[in-house]
């Protein structure tokens, strides 16, 4: 009987010690969900990555979070408390991809403070988005049904007429062959004189500027940035196309001649970030100024 009471007392003590721990472990469970909009985008487009989490009662998320995304650049972010009763928070990250393909938004580590003031953390699920490499827009086209083709009408052609038609066809064929031959020879001559990197980049930039009225601002700035980065990549032998704006600035800064002001160059690069937003509309003077700066960089770098 004494042995029974001893085991009973030990069981009560163990339960008193374990129950608070189990209660705390149960309270620390978070309900997490993530959402991505859109799931398919172009390079430079803004993607909204939202994390919704229901924390234990009394817990809260601090604003000091060291969060980064592989293959994505954070444009801006926000932490919102949605419902006080359920203690639900929403973390919104507006990110932009600088690589193409099916990219994974990596799992994030988010820290929060529980009701006792202790540090805790949770991990977000991974998400996959498709990033396309070509930015393009197309107008709506209307396709009409193809009508049935009528049976051909029989034509009565005299022998002399048929002979003249044959002669005309042969003459046209000979003339067309000679013209194609001349065109091919001229193309070969042009290819024998390859353009240097700077000349080709300046020609591409001028052609883009002449077409600026026919394309959107977003496409204009995207192609202008592409021309500059391609020129720098080929001239200085490093891959500028895969760099973020800050990485590109740090890499090119030592290469800039004295004629280029560093502050002006940094501000100029920020314009390409602004161009990602659909509601950003620069003036004609701003477009001409950015075109002039790009041309100056191609001439001096």
């Amino acid at each position: 009987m004494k042995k029974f009471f001893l085991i009973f007392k030990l069981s009560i003590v163990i339960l008193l010690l374990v129950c608070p721990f189990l209660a705390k472990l149960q309270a620390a469970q978070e309900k997490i969900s993530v959402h991505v909009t859109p799931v398919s985008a172009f390079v430079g487009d803004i993607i909204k990555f939202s994390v919704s989490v229901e924390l234990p009662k009394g817990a809260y998320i601090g604003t000091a979070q060291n969060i980064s995304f592989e293959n994505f650049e954070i444009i801006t972010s926000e932490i919102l408390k949605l419902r006080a009763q359920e203690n639900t928070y929403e973390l919104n990250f507006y990110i932009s991809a600088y690589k193409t393909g099916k990219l994974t938004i990596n799992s994030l580590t988010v820290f929060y403070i529980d009701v006792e003031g202790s540090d805790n953390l949770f991990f977000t699920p991974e998400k996959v988005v498709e990033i396309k490499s070509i930015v393009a827009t197309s107008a709506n086209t209307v396709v009409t049904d193809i009508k049935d083709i009528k049976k051909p009408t029989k034509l009565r052609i005299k022998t002399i007429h048929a002979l003249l038609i044959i002669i005309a066809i042969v003459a046209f064929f000979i003339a067309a062959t000679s013209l194609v031959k001349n065109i091919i020879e001229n193309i070969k001559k042009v290819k024998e004189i390859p353009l240097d990197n700077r000349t080709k980049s300046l020609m591409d930039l001028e052609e883009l500027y002449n077409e600026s009225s026919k394309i959107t601002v977003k496409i204009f700035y995207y192609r202008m940035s592409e021309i500059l980065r391609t020129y720098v990549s080929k001239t200085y032998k490093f891959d500028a196309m895969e760099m973020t704006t800050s990485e590109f600035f740090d890499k090119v800064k030592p290469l800039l001649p004295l004629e280029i002001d560093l502050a002006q160059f940094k501000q100029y690069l920020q314009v390409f970030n602004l161009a990602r937003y659909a509601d950003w509309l620069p003036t004609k003077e701003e477009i001409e100024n950015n075109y002039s700066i790009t041309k100056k960089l191609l001439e001096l770098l």
Side-chain angles (χ1 to χ4, degrees):
M1 182 66 70
K2 289 183 179 179
K3 187 176 181 180
F4 172 78
F5 279 110
L6 180 62
I7 294 173
F8 179 74
K9 289 180 181 180
L10 287 174
S11 300
I12 295 297
V13 172
I14 291 172
L15 286 174
L16 291 174
L17 292 174
V18 171
C19 283
F21 174 77
L22 292 176
K24 185 175 180 180
L25 182 62
Q26 179 65 27
Q29 299 300 313
E30 310 89 6
K31 297 179 181 178
I32 307 167
S33 63
V34 296
H35 184 68
V36 178
T37 307
V39 295
S40 178
F42 294 108
V43 170
D45 283 350
I46 305 301
I47 300 171
K48 182 180 179 182
F49 177 65
S50 297
V51 179
S52 179
V53 57
E54 183 181 338
L55 296 178
K57 185 178 180 180
Y60 65 92
I61 297 178
T63 56
Q65 301 284 336
N66 185 17
I67 292 176
S68 62
F69 294 84
E70 185 179 0
N71 301 329
F72 296 88
E73 180 181 1
I74 298 178
I75 306 303
T76 184
S77 61
E78 59 184 0
I79 299 177
L80 306 173
K81 187 173 183 180
L82 300 183
R83 293 183 290 273
Q85 185 177 0
E86 298 178 4
N87 203 22
T88 301
Y89 284 80
E90 184 174 277
L91 293 78
N92 295 320
F93 300 93
Y94 298 88
I95 58 180
S96 179
Y98 51 85
K99 288 188 178 180
T100 59
K102 291 189 176 180
L103 304 181
T104 301
I105 300 178
N106 54 288
S107 177
L108 303 179
T109 304
V110 182
F111 294 90
Y112 69 91
I113 310 299
D114 63 16
V115 68
E116 297 177 358
S118 302
D119 292 332
N120 285 270
L121 58 86
F122 63 86
F123 302 95
T124 65
E126 293 183 344
K127 279 287 185 179
V128 176
V129 296
E130 183 182 9
I131 304 298
K132 303 175 183 179
S133 61
I134 299 175
V135 178
T137 58
S138 59
N140 293 329
T141 56
V142 179
V143 179
T144 57
D145 293 335
I146 299 175
K147 304 299 180 183
D148 293 336
I149 300 174
K150 294 181 180 180
K151 293 182 179 180
T153 303
K154 293 183 179 180
L155 299 177
R156 296 180 179 179
I157 303 176
K158 295 182 179 180
T159 304
I160 186 63
H161 293 161
L163 183 60
L164 291 174
I165 291 173
I166 293 173
I167 294 173
I169 292 174
V170 172
F172 175 79
F173 179 79
I174 294 173
T177 303
S178 178
L179 179 61
V180 171
K181 184 178 179 181
N182 291 333
I183 292 174
I184 293 174
E185 289 177 355
N186 290 332
I187 292 174
K188 288 182 178 179
K189 289 180 181 179
V190 172
K191 288 184 177 180
E192 291 173 358
I193 310 174
L195 297 175
D196 62 276
N197 188 26
R198 177 178 283 109
T199 302
K200 185 180 183 305
S201 299
L202 288 170
M203 290 176 63
D204 291 343
L205 180 64
E206 184 178 2
E207 182 179 356
L208 174 64
Y209 181 75
N210 293 335
E211 295 178 352
S212 60
S213 60
K214 303 176 184 178
I215 58 179
T216 63
V217 171
K218 186 175 182 179
I219 295 176
F220 175 77
Y221 276 89
Y222 175 84
R223 291 182 181 172
M224 186 161 61
S225 173
E226 187 180 52
I227 291 170
L228 176 62
R229 288 185 179 231
T230 301
Y231 169 78
V232 172
S233 298
K234 291 182 179 180
T235 303
Y236 296 99
K237 311 303 180 186
F238 64 85
D239 190 5
M241 300 301 297
E242 298 292 335
M243 291 183 175
T244 63
T245 301
S246 57
E247 289 173 345
F248 182 70
F249 173 78
D250 292 336
K251 192 73 174 179
V252 175
K253 181 169 62 175
L255 308 174
L256 293 175
L258 296 177
E259 293 88 340
I260 302 297
D261 180 71
L262 276 179
Q264 184 187 27
F265 178 65
K266 188 172 184 179
Q267 184 179 6
Y268 158 80
L269 291 180
Q270 293 301 323
V271 172
F272 294 101
N273 289 333
L274 290 174
R276 299 171 180 172
Y277 296 93
D279 57 348
W280 183 72
L281 294 174
T283 63
K284 184 178 180 180
E285 290 73 19
E286 289 174 331
I287 292 176
E288 291 179 353
N289 182 54
N290 292 321
Y291 163 76
S292 299
I293 294 175
T294 307
K295 183 178 180 182
K296 186 177 182 181
L297 287 168
L298 293 175
E299 292 172 344
L300 297 179
L301 276 175

